[in-house]
Amino acid sequence: MDNNTNVKYIVRREIAGYDSSGNPIYREVKVPVSTQQPQTVKRTPQTVRRKKPKRKSPVKRIITIVVLLVILALALYALITITTNYIGFSDSVEEAVGVSSDDIIYTFKVDDEHKITVYSSGDKLCADLLLVNDESYKSIKSCKSIDINDYAADLEGKSMKYTKKDGICFALDYAGSDQYESFEEYIDENATKSFNPGAISVDESSTQIFVLWYWIE
């Protein structure tokens, strides 16, 4: 008897041969059958440790921010340049300031890229600094206007005031005002390029002459 407790036997009939009549002759055979359970392999779940992302050093962060700011500044500068130099130009001075040709009194040339036009708008005497680009014009700055009817009372006793853009200074005045000598003195001391005041006659029948002061600092 087999002492292996993990093995048992079953009796199986099988053909051992045939008799003279052709009938099968059977015999019984003990066939061993294993009762051992197949071994199961237990897999221990493995924990995968994720590596923490490396943090950027403060210096690299600052460099990244500076680079982004530079790119943003260049993009903004390009946008301003395109807007200033190519967008918003008109074919004529009157279109640039929004008046008719009859309202334009005189246009002074400051340099190859700038002009100042003096015009009337209702009872106001106005002046605009124009940017010139291939015979096209764009108003980029206006100075304080003068009331043609009340100019003397409006400017009496007041200190000189002027408007500045692209290094070009300009202001409206009238001959004989309290500001007249102040403008002359200031221009002599501060202007890198001195201009004589431009005499403007608003009304041919009027004895009063208005003045456009303009100079470069």
Side-chain angles (χ1 to χ4, degrees):
M1 183 175 180
D2 197 335
N3 293 326
N4 192 343
T5 57
N6 294 325
V7 178
K8 70 177 183 177
Y9 294 88
I10 60 173
V11 177
R12 179 181 298 171
R13 293 181 67 193
E14 62 181 20
I15 299 173
Y18 297 89
D19 58 16
S20 59
S21 299
N23 297 317
I25 300 172
Y26 293 95
R27 66 178 178 183
E28 292 183 348
V29 181
K30 293 175 67 177
V31 180
V33 178
S34 176
T35 60
Q36 186 175 2
Q37 296 292 330
Q39 295 182 356
T40 58
V41 178
K42 293 184 178 180
R43 294 183 180 181
T44 305
Q46 297 180 352
T47 57
V48 179
R49 294 183 179 179
R50 295 182 179 179
K51 294 182 179 180
K52 293 183 179 179
K54 294 182 179 179
R55 294 183 178 180
K56 291 184 178 180
S57 65
V59 176
K60 289 185 178 180
R61 286 184 178 181
I62 292 173
I63 292 175
T64 302
I65 292 173
V66 170
V67 170
L68 290 176
L69 289 176
V70 170
I71 294 173
L72 181 62
L74 291 175
L76 184 61
Y77 175 77
L79 178 63
I80 293 173
T81 300
I82 292 172
T83 303
T84 302
N85 295 329
Y86 301 101
I87 298 176
F89 281 84
S90 302
D91 294 332
S92 64
V93 173
E94 52 267 27
E95 288 181 7
V97 296
V99 297
S100 67
S101 57
D102 294 334
D103 294 325
I104 301 293
I105 298 171
Y106 197 80
T107 299
F108 299 85
K109 180 180 178 180
V110 181
D111 54 34
D112 292 338
E113 296 180 350
H114 298 89
K115 289 185 178 182
I116 298 176
T117 186
V118 181
Y119 59 96
S120 60
S121 178
D123 292 332
K124 299 289 185 180
L125 182 65
C126 309
D128 281 24
L129 177 65
L130 303 175
L131 188 63
V132 183
N133 184 12
D134 294 332
E135 299 304 319
S136 297
Y137 307 92
K138 179 180 180 179
S139 176
I140 57 175
K141 196 74 173 180
S142 301
C143 72
K144 185 177 181 181
S145 60
I146 289 180
D147 191 311
I148 298 174
N149 299 318
D150 302 326
Y151 59 89
D154 291 342
L155 297 178
E156 184 178 2
K158 293 184 179 179
S159 59
M160 58 175 282
K161 292 182 179 180
Y162 61 88
T163 299
K164 183 175 181 180
K165 177 71 175 179
D166 292 347
I168 300 171
C169 306
F170 65 110
L172 289 170
D173 190 18
Y174 68 97
S177 73
D178 296 335
Q179 302 182 96
Y180 199 92
E181 291 183 2
S182 298
F183 271 115
E184 287 187 320
E185 182 180 352
Y186 183 87
I187 290 173
D188 288 340
E189 293 178 356
N190 297 279
T192 57
K193 186 175 181 181
S194 179
F195 292 89
N196 294 323
I200 305 163
S201 177
V202 177
D203 187 349
E204 296 296 335
S205 63
S206 174
T207 58
Q208 178 59 60
I209 299 298
F210 291 90
V211 177
L212 171 71
W213 299 95
Y214 63 106
W215 67 96
I216 295 176
E217 289 188 351

